[in-house]
């Protein structure tokens, strides 16, 4: 499994260049506007810094089509090597974007995932919660039976600040759907999560669970409770997105393994534009467990 522990933003005393490189290492790619929001930097200061890092061959950019010539930045190979052993980035999945060709092929999905992270980060700031740039880990991978793997678009760490100085740490697997696959294929992702929810590996040298001591499900190695599963939908009209949510609900109701998980694990779907307009803790999430009233992601 490749995942990173929960991190907040790098300490303030670290240089602005360090923070830019760390964020690009974590998120793979981000536009200038997204970096400005994540890091809280002045636009002109950020522009000068990006230009300097570009001249040093640590980062590069592609120009986005139909976006007023906005730039999307990513690490060059020297930038990847420079950040590889930084403590705040240890354990993150090693899937860097290091060429303009690779960046252009992954731009739409990667930048949509960053938009999703920023919706949570913006809401956290407004509510006094914690969710920083390094609390969002893209492409987290877990082993499934039969040598298959579950790859989540992101793992979210979020800390709620409640009354009486009570802190509640939440985790969620996030699937970002741009309506580029069929609704049936999207819904089948729930089966992968249900398989991971029940997967108990057989120890090396044992041929069956009957011969093996009880070790518990594999997910307990990394999580105190199984993370929520959140589907963030975009890229289509309201009717199409509603149909995709209906497909997810049908899978949660009709597939025995998924239905069993839905009784134990919070599952929900929301439209990205609703998250950006109202915040993820607004009642914009559709539960997938049979309830019909929309709610906050924390109330799924």
């Amino acid at each position: 499994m490749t995942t990173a522990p929960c991190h907040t933003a790098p300490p303030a005393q670290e240089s602005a260049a360090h923070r830019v490189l760390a964020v690009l290492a974590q998120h793979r790619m981000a536009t200038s506007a997204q970096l400005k929001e994540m890091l809280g930097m002045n636009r002109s200061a950020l522009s000068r810094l990006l230009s300097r890092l570009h001249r040093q061959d640590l980062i590069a950019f592609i120009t986005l089509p139909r976006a007023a010539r906005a730039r999307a930045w990513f690490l060059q190979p020297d930038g990847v090597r420079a950040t590889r052993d930084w403590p705040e980035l240890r354990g993150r999945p090693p899937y860097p974007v290091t060429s303009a060709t690779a960046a252009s092929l992954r731009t739409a999905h990667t930048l949509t995932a960053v938009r999703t992270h920023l919706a949570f980060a913006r809401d956290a700031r407004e509510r006094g919660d914690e969710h920083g740039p390094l609390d969002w880990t893209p492409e987290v991978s877990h082993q499934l039976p039969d040598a298959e793997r579950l790859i989540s678009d992101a793992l979210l760490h979020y800390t709620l600040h409640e009354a009486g100085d009570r802190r509640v740490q939440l985790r969620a697997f996030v699937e970002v759907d741009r309506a580029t696959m069929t609704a049936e294929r999207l819904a089948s992702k729930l089966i992968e999560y249900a398989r991971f929810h029940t997967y108990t590996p057989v120890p090396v040298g044992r041929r069956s669970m009957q011969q093996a001591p009880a070790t518990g499900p594999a997910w307990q190695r990394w999580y105190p409770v199984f993370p929520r599963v959140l589907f963030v939908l975009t890229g289509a009209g309201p009717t199409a997105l509603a149909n995709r949510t209906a497909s997810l609900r049908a899978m949660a109701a009709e597939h025995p393994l998924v239905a069993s998980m839905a009784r134990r694990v919070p599952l929900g779907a929301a439209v990205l534009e609703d998250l950006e307009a109202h915040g993820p803790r607004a009642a914009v999430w559709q539960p997938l467990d049979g309830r019909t009233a929309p709610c906050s992601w924390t109330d799924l």
Side-chain angles (χ1 to χ4, degrees), residues 36-106:
K36 177 180 179 296
E37 182 171 356
M38 275 193 273
L39 298 170
M41 293 183 64
N42 173 275
R43 185 186 301 274
S44 59
L46 176 62
S47 179
R48 290 193 298 271
L49 176 57
L50 291 173
S51 296
R52 176 165 65 85
L53 294 174
H54 185 229
R55 290 194 302 271
Q56 294 171 340
D57 291 327
L58 293 172
I59 63 175
F61 66 87
I62 59 172
T63 302
L64 302 179
R66 300 184 301 279
R69 301 193 61 78
R71 293 177 173 181
W73 297 88
F74 56 93
L75 295 182
Q76 292 273 56
D78 283 351
V80 173
R81 286 188 287 271
T83 60
R84 182 173 294 143
D85 297 322
W86 289 1
E88 67 269 35
L89 298 172
R90 285 178 189 151
R92 76 193 190 284
Y95 309 129
V97 173
T98 57
S99 71
T101 299
S104 63
L105 293 174
R106 300 179 63 173

Side-chain angles (χ1 to χ4, degrees), residues 10-291:
Q13 65 267 27
E14 292 180 349
S15 71
H18 182 111
R19 290 186 288 135
V20 167
L21 294 174
V23 165
L24 289 177
Q26 184 80 358
H27 293 270
R28 316 284 166 67
M29 190 188 310
T31 66
S32 301
Q34 289 173 333
L35 288 169
K36 177 180 179 296
E37 182 171 356
M38 275 193 273
L39 298 170
M41 293 183 64
N42 173 275
R43 185 186 301 274
S44 59
L46 176 62
S47 179
R48 290 193 298 271
L49 176 57
L50 291 173
S51 296
R52 176 165 65 85
L53 294 174
H54 185 229
R55 290 194 302 271
Q56 294 171 340
D57 291 327
L58 293 172
I59 63 175
F61 66 87
I62 59 172
T63 302
L64 302 179
R66 300 184 301 279
R69 301 193 61 78
R71 293 177 173 181
W73 297 88
F74 56 93
L75 295 182
Q76 292 273 56
D78 283 351
V80 173
R81 286 188 287 271
T83 60
R84 182 173 294 143
D85 297 322
W86 289 1
E88 67 269 35
L89 298 172
R90 285 178 189 151
R92 76 193 190 284
Y95 309 129
V97 173
T98 57
S99 71
T101 299
S104 63
L105 293 174
R106 300 179 63 173
T107 299
H109 186 80
T110 302
L111 296 184
T112 303
V114 176
R115 281 177 60 194
T116 305
H117 157 64
L118 286 173
F120 281 91
R122 200 175 300 125
D123 205 33
R125 286 195 301 271
E126 293 174 357
R127 295 176 180 272
D129 296 333
E130 296 176 28
H131 178 67
L134 303 186
D135 291 326
W136 177 276
T137 308
E139 297 180 43
V140 170
S141 175
H142 288 286
Q143 184 70 47
L144 292 176
D146 304 319
E148 297 180 67
R149 300 197 74 81
L150 164 67
I151 300 178
S152 305
D153 284 334
L155 174 66
L156 173 150
H157 293 268
Y158 193 102
T159 302
L160 293 174
H161 286 225
E162 298 188 335
D165 294 328
R166 183 169 178 262
R167 292 159 50 90
V168 179
Q169 293 186 336
L170 300 176
R171 296 169 181 80
F173 294 121
V174 182
E175 293 293 327
V176 177
D177 171 58
R178 297 183 297 111
T180 56
M181 65 177 74
T182 66
E184 180 181 6
R185 184 180 169 196
L186 173 67
S188 69
K189 190 80 179 192
L190 280 168
I191 301 176
E192 296 182 34
Y193 282 104
R195 293 175 66 203
F196 180 51
H197 183 249
T198 59
Y199 174 47
T200 300
V202 177
V204 176
R206 308 280 185 169
R207 289 181 296 176
S208 70
M209 287 305 299
Q210 286 72 28
Q211 297 176 301
T215 58
W219 62 263
Q220 291 181 346
R221 177 178 175 185
W222 299 285
Y223 309 108
V225 297
F226 196 87
R228 298 155 192 262
V229 181
L230 307 177
F231 289 83
V232 177
L233 314 179
T234 190
T239 299
L241 296 182
N243 289 339
R244 297 174 82 78
T245 300
S247 294
L248 290 166
R249 279 179 161 161
M251 181 65 76
E254 297 168 7
H255 192 286
L257 205 60
V258 179
S260 176
M261 178 179 68
R263 291 191 290 270
R264 299 169 176 82
V265 178
L267 311 174
V271 174
L272 174 55
E273 287 75 11
D274 290 339
L275 302 187
E276 293 177 320
H278 307 291
R281 289 189 63 187
V284 295
W285 294 87
Q286 300 296 327
L288 305 182
D289 60 2
R291 290 177 291 162

